[in-house]
Amino acid sequence: AQSVTQLDSQVPVFEEAPVELRCNYSSSVSVYLFWYVQYPNQGLQLLLKYLSGSTLVESINGFEAEFNKSQTSFHLRKPSVHISDTAEYFCAVSQSYNTDKLIFGTGTRLQVFP
Amino acid sequence: DAMVIQNPRYQVTQFGKPVTLSCSQTLNHNVMYWYQQKSSQAPKLLFHYYDKDFNNEADTPDNFQSRRPNTSFCFLDIRSPGLGDAAMYLCATSRERTGSGEQYFGPGTRLTVT
């Protein structure tokens, strides 16, 4: 069975500081990895995903995540956060064949302070 | 804009009184999902439709049912809501069931059981 662990339930940070949101997964088969973001009163939106190829993936708003197979991790990073990045971030995993079943972590609330 | 719409956004029902939550999509996607998200927990997949093919998760209670009368609409029926069914219910879609596809989420319906 697959599982996803997000160790930090809340991450407070000041604006323009760097941030890392941690995600670890366990799976006996190859997986695809995702980060979704949920802004207040909105649905989840895909932030970035790793399917294959380069282990470093980037989003259009400055976030990046690196797939580390040996450490079974997919941590999300941003070098300089903005107030508008305040949201809930969910890491998710799916099996890499014939299924769209996503297994989500419990989420990390990123709170950016001025 | 193509999107996933959930109605109502907030629903209050009484203990044991049947309730139906609605989801519609303008994306013309083949797959539609229902997730349950309780406070501070990960979204949990209840079931999904691949076209008209219904796929129930093994641990989804019998109290939860779903209908998909056409491509655009999907309903979640809770036959006899208990206090433990209070949660956010998220509807999502994806074009195909491949594991690599992005899921598009609606804003959710927050269900309160009194």
Side-chain angles (χ1 to χ4, degrees):
Chain A
Q2 298 162 312
S3 66
V4 178
T5 302
Q6 292 182 247
L7 291 171
D8 305 304
S9 60
Q10 295 187 59
V11 174
V13 64
F14 287 108
E15 194 173 22
E16 297 184 7
V19 70
E20 178 180 81
L21 308 184
R22 296 180 292 170
C23 173
N24 289 88
Y25 70 93
S26 65
S27 177
S28 58
V29 299
S30 296
V31 296
Y32 295 142
L33 294 157
F34 306 83
W35 275 99
Y36 279 81
V37 59
Q38 186 176 30
Y39 298 104
N41 296 317
Q42 295 186 28
L44 280 71
Q45 304 170 35
L46 181 67
L47 187 60
L48 45 76
K49 62 183 178 183
Y50 170 78
L51 305 181
S52 63
S54 172
T55 57
L56 184 66
V57 291
E58 299 177 350
S59 72
I60 58 174
N61 57 353
F63 282 94
E64 64 179 29
E66 185 162 19
F67 170 57
N68 188 319
K69 188 174 182 179
S70 63
Q71 297 186 7
T72 61
S73 68
F74 191 54
H75 301 330
L76 181 69
R77 301 185 184 94
K78 189 170 185 180
S80 177
V81 295
H82 301 287
I83 296 285
S84 60
D85 293 324
T86 294
E88 190 89 21
Y89 292 79
F90 291 92
C91 183
V93 62
S94 73
Q95 290 181 342
S96 58
Y97 57 91
N98 199 30
T99 176
D100 257 330
K101 180 175 179 177
L102 284 174
I103 307 297
F104 284 93
T106 52
T108 297
R109 173 146 183 82
L110 176 63
Q111 180 75 54
V112 182
F113 294 96
Chain B
D1 287 340
M3 56 198 306
V4 181
I5 301 163
Q6 290 189 245
N7 286 307
R9 294 290 307 275
Y10 300 90
Q11 175 74 56
V12 180
T13 190
Q14 293 177 337
F15 183 94
K17 184 175 182 180
V19 65
T20 295
L21 309 183
S22 170
C23 177
S24 64
Q25 53 126 342
T26 61
L27 298 161
N28 203 33
H29 282 172
N30 283 326
V31 194
M32 293 188 77
Y33 310 80
W34 279 104
Y35 290 86
Q36 179 191 63
Q37 184 182 18
K38 294 187 177 181
S39 181
S40 301
Q41 295 185 23
K44 177 180 175 299
L45 183 65
L46 295 173
F47 24 61
H48 76 276
Y49 274 95
Y50 180 69
D51 195 12
K52 295 181 180 179
D53 180 29
F54 177 70
N55 297 269
N56 198 28
E57 293 300 304
D59 56 354
T60 298
D62 293 339
N63 199 25
F64 291 85
Q65 307 282 320
S66 185
R67 296 170 284 135
R68 189 180 185 186
N70 54 52
T71 300
S72 300
F73 285 87
C74 195
F75 300 98
L76 170 63
D77 301 307
I78 308 176
R79 291 191 298 185
S80 182
L83 297 179
D85 297 327
M88 177 74 83
Y89 290 87
L90 301 170
C91 175
T93 72
S94 65
R95 184 174 292 110
E96 289 294 339
R97 191 172 55 184
T98 62
S100 63
E102 176 179 356
Q103 291 192 16
Y104 295 79
F105 284 80
T109 294
R110 183 168 296 282
L111 178 68
T112 300
V113 182
T114 61

